[in-house]
Amino acid sequence: HRHLAAHVRPRGRRGDRGPVAEMIDERDQTKGRNVDYEDVYRTFLNQHIGNFLKVDVGNRIIDKPANYKELIGRKEIHTRRVMIHRDTLRKWVTGEKNKLNMQQFELHMLSKNILLETAKKVRLGVGWEDNGGVNCMVFQMDEGESDVPAGA
C-alpha cells in the first residue's frame, strides 16, 4: 500500500485541492440562490458611477472621476462599450458582500451578450490621464445608459 500513499494529496487549505474542487465549492456556495448576475453588474455600475471616465468620439471627455486614482473604468459612448478594471470587478463580485463565483458571472454575462471580452488590455485614461494599459472586462453598454454627464 506504500505506492498508493504516495499518490494521496494531503487535505490542506482550500487552494491546495485543485481548481475543480474549488469550482465545486464555489458553485455549492451559491446553490439554492437565484442569482441575478445582471442586477449584480448594474449595482456595481451604480455604486461606482463616479469612478468612470466617460468619453465620446476622439476621446472627448464627457465626465471624469474627481482624480485619476479613483479611475476603475471607461465608458465609450460612441462605441457603446464599458471597460472595467478586471481585478476591481472580480473583488467586488467574489467579495464578502456578494460571495459569487466569478466564472459563473462571466459565463452568464457572455451568454446574454452583455460581456463581450473577459480580458483585454485597455488604457482607461486615454484623453485624460494615460498611464498605460490594465486588464479589463469589456461590456456592451446598457440601452438605458445615459450619455449626459452627471449633474448636467
Side-chain angles (χ1 to χ4, degrees), residues 41 44-45 52 72-73 82-86 89 136-137 139:
Y41 169 67
F44 176 86
L45 290 178
F52 284 84
I72 62 162
V82 178
M83 281 74 80
I84 302 173
H85 183 247
R86 182 175 174 76
L89 182 59
C136 290
M137 297 178 76
F139 294 85

Side-chain angles (χ1 to χ4, degrees), residues 1-142:
H1 295 294
R2 264 192 200 157
H3 66 282
L4 291 177
H7 297 290
V8 176
R9 296 178 71 190
R11 293 189 72 165
R13 295 177 306 142
R14 184 172 158 224
D16 294 337
R17 295 179 40 223
V20 173
E22 285 184 34
M23 285 173 49
I24 291 169
D25 286 347
E26 289 179 39
R27 181 204 63 204
D28 290 345
Q29 287 175 1
T30 59
K31 192 180 278 185
R33 289 171 51 192
N34 188 9
V35 179
D36 184 347
Y37 291 106
E38 293 164 58
D39 185 58
V40 169
Y41 169 67
R42 285 189 300 271
T43 301
F44 176 86
L45 290 178
N46 288 333
Q47 288 185 2
H48 295 88
I49 198 164
N51 303 104
F52 284 84
L53 178 64
K54 193 182 279 191
V55 298
D56 206 347
V57 177
N59 295 315
R60 182 180 62 86
I61 296 173
I62 296 172
D63 201 10
K64 62 186 177 196
N67 72 59
Y68 185 76
K69 291 180 181 175
E70 296 174 5
L71 181 66
I72 62 162
R74 177 182 184 86
K75 293 182 179 182
E76 294 184 345
I77 305 305
H78 59 293
T79 64
R80 310 284 305 155
R81 300 287 187 262
V82 178
M83 281 74 80
I84 302 173
H85 183 247
R86 182 175 174 76
D87 285 347
T88 302
L89 182 59
R90 181 187 50 76
K91 286 176 187 170
W92 196 84
V93 167
T94 63
E96 275 304 304
K97 182 177 179 183
N98 293 306
K99 296 180 183 176
L100 297 174
N101 179 313
M102 189 63 177
Q103 289 174 315
Q104 294 294 330
F105 173 82
E106 288 178 5
L107 288 172
H108 175 84
M109 299 302 273
L110 283 166
S111 74
K112 298 290 186 176
N113 293 321
I114 297 169
L115 176 59
L116 305 175
E117 295 183 61
T118 59
K120 179 180 181 175
K121 276 274 202 233
V122 176
R123 293 169 41 213
L124 295 175
V126 169
W128 180 42
E129 299 272 341
D130 187 16
N131 287 338
V134 293
N135 281 324
C136 290
M137 297 178 76
V138 181
F139 294 85
Q140 178 69 38
M141 194 174 286
D142 248 3

